[in-house]
């Protein structure tokens, strides 16, 4: 299968990691037509931010709901149905077989795509061992990516460093979505394994999730446009 052709502007997902709906609305207004895709995670979702999903979808934007679901199958499937009814485009779940199977069932017939989080990037082999796992990070990421593909999951969240090897495993059938992206010259913050937008695209990422380099820029709109220009250049 051929690589997806996605417009460069749509490949930037701005993480609305902000404390209130008002702060998020102010940032969305500043970013205007420059940004098409937004991510809503724990901080904003639990501060009333899920109301923005429908609002943004109605305004022609796309929304990635990053709630990393994991529960018994019935609860996951019904929760996924509710997120789908809000008009979201992407939703994350943890990459456990039961959870992924239920999520795929819950999104049936909707426009929602399920992204699996294989192993959280804050985990190393020692953390997995302490949590009772037999496999190390790279083996578990690979096993879960294969399971996700078999179960019909639409994409994976991965670090830019994992993108190239996961692309080899899952081909071009799945979307690879990578956080940990930093334009040259911006602060890494707490991200340890970072890549520039151009390198992440070259490594095989379909979508880049970027928070602080846009949110904390003196001119967020200009910061977003610079990332989109870099994506367009790398995708040629
Ligand atoms: O501000 P920054 O660009 O580091 O934000 C990255 C976003 O991607 C945050 O919303 C963070 O929660 C998310 N994320 C991440 N690493 C992962 C999964 C999600 O940084 N492995």
């Amino acid at each position: 299968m051929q690589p997806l052709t996605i417009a460069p502007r749509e490949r930037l997902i701005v993480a609305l990691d902000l404390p209130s709906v008002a702060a998020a609305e102010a940032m969305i207004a500043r970013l205007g037509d420059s940004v098409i895709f937004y991510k809503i995670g724990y901080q904003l979702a639990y501060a009333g931010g899920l109301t923005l999903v429908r609002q943004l979808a109605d305004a022609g934007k796309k929304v990635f709901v990053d709630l990393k679901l994991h529960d018994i199958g019935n609860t996951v499937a019904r929760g996924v149905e509710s997120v789908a009814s809000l008009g979201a485009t992407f939703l994350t779940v943890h990459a456990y077989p039961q959870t992924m199977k239920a999520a795929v069932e819950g999104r049936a017939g909707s426009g929602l795509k399920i992204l699996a989080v294989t192993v959280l990037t804050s985990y190393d082999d020692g953390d997995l061992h302490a949590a009772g796992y037999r496999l190390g990070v790279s083996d578990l990421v690979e096993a879960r990516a294969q399971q996700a593909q078999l179960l019909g999951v639409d994409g994976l969240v991965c670090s830019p460093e994992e993108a190239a090897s996961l692309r080899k495993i899952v081909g071009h059938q799945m979307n690879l979505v990578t956080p940990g992206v930093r334009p040259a010259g911006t602060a890494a913050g707490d991200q340890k394994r970072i890549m520039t937008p151009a390198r992440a695209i070259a490594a095989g990422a379909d979508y880049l999730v970027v928070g602080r380099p846009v949110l904390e820029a003196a001119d967020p709109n200009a910061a977003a446009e610079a990332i989109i220009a870099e994506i367009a250049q790398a995708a040629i």
Side-chain angles (χ1 to χ4, degrees), residues 7 12 52 60 93 109-110 146 162 177 193 198-199 203 224 227-228:
L12 169 65
L52 286 172
V93 302
S110 76
Q146 280 163 348
E162 287 164 349
V177 180
R193 292 173 289 153
R199 284 193 55 217
I227 295 169
I228 293 160

Side-chain angles (χ1 to χ4, degrees), residues 71-163:
D71 206 314
I72 61 169
N74 183 59
T75 303
V76 170
R78 301 293 87 80
V80 170
E81 279 173 8
S82 293
V83 173
S85 74
L86 298 175
T89 297
F90 285 160
L91 170 67
T92 41
V93 302
H94 284 284
Y96 288 77
Q98 276 190 18
T99 296
M100 295 191 286
K101 188 167 178 283
V104 168
E105 179 197 317
R107 69 102 161 91
S110 76
L112 181 67
K113 289 183 170 178
I114 303 298
L115 304 179
V117 177
T118 52
V119 177
L120 292 168
T121 49
S122 57
Y123 276 54
D124 62 19
D125 290 351
D127 293 311
L128 284 181
H129 183 73
Y133 288 87
R134 200 168 28 85
L135 299 180
V137 172
S138 58
D139 289 340
L140 191 55
V141 166
E142 190 176 322
R144 287 181 164 179
Q146 280 163 348
Q147 288 171 334
Q149 188 170 34
L150 281 172
L151 290 166
V153 167
D154 305 288
L156 300 169
V157 178
C158 62
S159 75
E161 286 171 355
E162 287 164 349

